[in-house]
Amino acid sequence: MVQSKGETVPRTNRWDFAMYIGFFAGLIWGGIKIIEHYFHFTTLSPGFLIEPFFKHSFLSTWQGMLTGWLFFILFSIVASLLYTVLLAKARGPWFGIGYGIFWWAMFFLLIGPITGMTHWLLYMDLNTILTDACLFVLWGLFIGYSVSFEFNDESAGDTPKPDALLPEPD
């Protein structure tokens, strides 16, 4: 508990909050990954993260898509915990955007092509590259700005306190 000017404000547990944000980041953005694959905006299946461990034919089924979604949720929880450890005190949305770009680069430029998760970038179509880059940017923004907003109290300067609206007594 933190006390400020006579008020007792409960302190947020950073690890629970990071897991909560990671879960919803994976749930929301993994669901959008399924939608973008369904509408053929990308050629990568929603289970691309687990491509080295499962057959591609399995990942094309609805069970494979749900398994991929589950692993994206787990990855998002781990990534959110890592962001909380490294950048919890970073202010503003730019660190979250950079975090999303970092993970996109890791999966599409380094880890993905080496492990077989993705093809090399030169062999992918532009729609897949841009769609997944935008997805990772928004995913990173969601994680980064949520964590930053919670632990930096950025809303404190936006709204005046109720006492500030009342005139001073004479």
Side-chain angles (χ1 to χ4, degrees):
M1 298 277 198
V2 178
Q3 289 192 4
S4 63
K5 296 183 183 179
E7 299 175 14
T8 302
V9 179
R11 196 175 243 172
T12 304
N13 181 329
R14 67 178 27 205
W15 309 117
D16 290 342
F17 185 77
M19 288 192 300
Y20 176 80
I21 291 298
F23 173 78
F24 282 103
L27 188 70
I28 293 166
W29 300 107
I32 290 175
K33 175 75 176 147
I34 290 172
I35 291 169
E36 69 184 26
H37 184 261
Y38 177 78
F39 286 114
H40 302 289
F41 293 131
T42 180
T43 56
L44 284 178
S45 88
F48 80 97
L49 290 176
I50 54 174
E51 186 87 33
F53 308 109
F54 291 91
K55 291 184 177 181
H56 186 72
S57 59
F58 170 71
L59 294 176
S60 298
T61 65
W62 67 270
Q63 295 98 338
M65 288 191 188
L66 289 180
T67 304
W69 196 3
L70 176 68
F71 273 85
F72 191 77
I73 290 170
L74 293 174
F75 161 69
S76 297
I77 291 171
V78 171
S80 181
L81 288 167
L82 185 63
Y83 187 92
T84 302
V85 168
L86 298 175
L87 298 167
K89 292 297 181 181
R91 291 183 172 266
W94 295 108
F95 289 97
I97 291 170
Y99 194 65
I101 292 170
F102 167 77
W103 280 109
W104 178 86
M106 291 297 289
F107 285 130
F108 284 79
L109 300 175
L110 186 64
I111 297 171
I114 292 171
T115 61
M117 283 184 211
T118 63
H119 298 293
W120 290 98
L121 204 60
L122 294 174
Y123 299 109
M124 291 180 155
D125 62 304
L126 189 60
N127 284 340
T128 298
I129 294 167
L130 292 177
T131 301
D132 285 322
C134 290
L135 181 92
F136 272 91
V137 165
L138 291 173
W139 170 85
L141 177 65
F142 181 86
I143 290 175
Y145 203 59
S146 298
V147 170
S148 173
F149 192 81
E150 181 67 23
F151 295 116
N152 288 310
D153 196 22
E154 292 185 13
S155 65
D158 293 343
T159 56
K161 301 229 183 265
D163 296 338
L165 301 175
L166 298 175
E168 296 272 334
D170 290 326

